[in-house]
């Protein structure tokens, strides 16, 4: 099956800093989603982005499908951005997501 | 518009018991998928229901079974619980490609 690798595994930032999270995948995809998992376990949808670039406030994402990677940018980070960020992909159009192992982000005041 | 809901929030069972978890999809969504998330890992796909049938399945044993009702809500059943079944169980619903997740049920097996 498709492999999904996320980097870095852990990231510690000071409030106000910017960061880039990376997701590499091993096959072509028809779905790629970025999620933020809060401390209570809720997966919050950030982006549905199988290709192209999207922006939502301080967050933006880019997927380069031909090179099989996606990037999530967080600007002017806040303590509420802390948590685990997951990239998840579907390569067969069956709506069964394969998740990466996540990036654990800690934003310090 | 209500999002995906799951019940119960937390559950404690002992080895060998059986458990049923419930999920109501987002309004208008017809497909429900279930995922298991062990501590410190990403969620893993268990199975998916569409039109009241299991459409596809991940690498999970037959102890894991499910059901979808005519109103698109779904149940996940786990028989003969093992300690290793302790995890957060997440339900996701979709109409097209994008999936939306519920808050999860945290199952502890003692």
């Amino acid at each position: 099956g498709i492999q999904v690798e996320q980097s870095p595994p852990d990231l510690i930032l000071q409030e106000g800093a910017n960061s880039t999270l990376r997701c590499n995948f091993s096959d072509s995809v028809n779905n790629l989603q970025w999620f933020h998992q809060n401390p209570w376990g809720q997966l919050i949808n950030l982006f549905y982005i199988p290709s192209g670039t999207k922006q939502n406030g301080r967050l933006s994402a880019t997927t380069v499908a031909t090179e099989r990677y996606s990037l999530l940018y967080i600007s002017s980070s806040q303590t509420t951005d802390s948590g685990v960020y997951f990239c998840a992909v579907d390569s067969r159009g069956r709506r069964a997501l394969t998740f990466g192992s996540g990036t654990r982000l800690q934003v310090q005041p | 518009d209500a999002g995906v809901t799951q019940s119960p929030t937390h559950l404690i069972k002992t080895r060998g018991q059986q458990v049923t978890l419930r999920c109501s999809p987002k309004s208008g969504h017809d497909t429900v998928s279930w995922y298991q998330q062990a501590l410190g890992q990403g969620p893993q796909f268990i199975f998916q229901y569409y039109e009241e049938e299991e459409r596809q399945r991940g690498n999970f044993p037959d102890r894991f079974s499910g059901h979808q009702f005519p109103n698109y809500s779904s149940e996940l059943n786990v028989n003969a619980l093992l300690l290793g079944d302790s995890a957060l169980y997440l339900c996701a619903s979709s109409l097209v490609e994008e999936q939306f997740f519920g808050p999860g049920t945290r199952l502890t097996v003692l």
Side-chain angles (χ1 to χ4, degrees):
Chain A
I2 192 168
Q3 304 298 311
V4 183
E5 294 183 358
Q6 291 188 241
S7 60
D10 296 281
L11 189 57
I12 301 175
L13 300 174
Q14 291 298 121
E15 206 168 20
N18 302 328
S19 61
T20 300
L21 283 57
R22 187 177 179 100
C23 172
N24 293 332
F25 43 94
S26 61
D27 201 352
S28 58
V29 298
N30 60 289
N31 179 9
L32 188 147
Q33 293 184 242
W34 282 98
F35 298 94
H36 175 211
Q37 189 166 43
N38 66 22
W40 298 273
Q42 174 80 57
L43 281 170
I44 299 164
N45 287 42
L46 297 178
F47 294 102
Y48 165 70
I49 187 165
S51 64
T53 297
K54 291 186 178 180
Q55 181 160 4
N56 184 4
R58 297 182 294 105
L59 273 59
S60 63
T62 295
T63 297
V64 183
T66 54
E67 297 186 22
R68 299 181 182 171
Y69 72 89
S70 183
L71 302 174
L72 176 68
Y73 304 96
I74 304 174
S75 64
S76 304
S77 58
Q78 301 175 358
T79 55
T80 53
D81 294 332
S82 297
V84 183
Y85 289 79
F86 287 105
C87 167
V89 303
D90 174 17
S91 63
R92 301 181 180 180
R94 296 180 183 177
R95 298 191 230 167
L97 292 174
T98 298
F99 282 75
S101 54
T103 292
R104 183 173 301 273
L105 173 64
Q106 183 180 347
V107 181
Q108 298 177 337
Chain B
D1 177 24
V4 181
T5 60
Q6 291 185 243
S7 63
T9 304
H10 294 85
L11 205 51
I12 298 175
K13 293 286 188 178
T14 56
R15 283 179 296 175
Q17 286 189 312
Q18 179 264 344
V19 68
T20 298
L21 311 182
R22 296 175 175 82
C23 171
S24 290
K26 195 173 168 66
S27 177
H29 287 187
D30 59 5
T31 301
V32 173
S33 301
W34 287 91
Y35 294 79
Q36 181 196 65
Q37 185 177 20
L39 198 62
Q41 298 181 19
Q44 287 196 306
F45 175 75
I46 303 174
F47 47 52
Q48 180 183 96
Y49 277 84
Y50 172 72
E51 292 188 340
E52 302 181 49
E53 291 189 358
E54 181 181 297
R55 184 159 71 170
Q56 54 181 320
R57 188 179 188 93
N59 189 25
F60 280 80
D62 292 344
R63 297 187 298 108
F64 290 77
S65 64
H67 188 77
Q68 186 178 34
F69 299 94
N71 67 352
Y72 306 122
S73 66
S74 176
E75 289 182 349
L76 164 66
N77 301 294
V78 186
N79 294 323
L81 284 167
L82 304 173
L83 294 179
D85 295 332
S86 294
L88 179 67
Y89 288 85
L90 295 162
C91 166
S93 75
S94 60
L95 179 60
V96 284
E97 295 299 328
E98 188 175 7
Q99 295 195 30
F100 296 83
F101 283 79
T105 294
R106 194 167 297 278
L107 172 64
T108 301
V109 182
L110 302 176

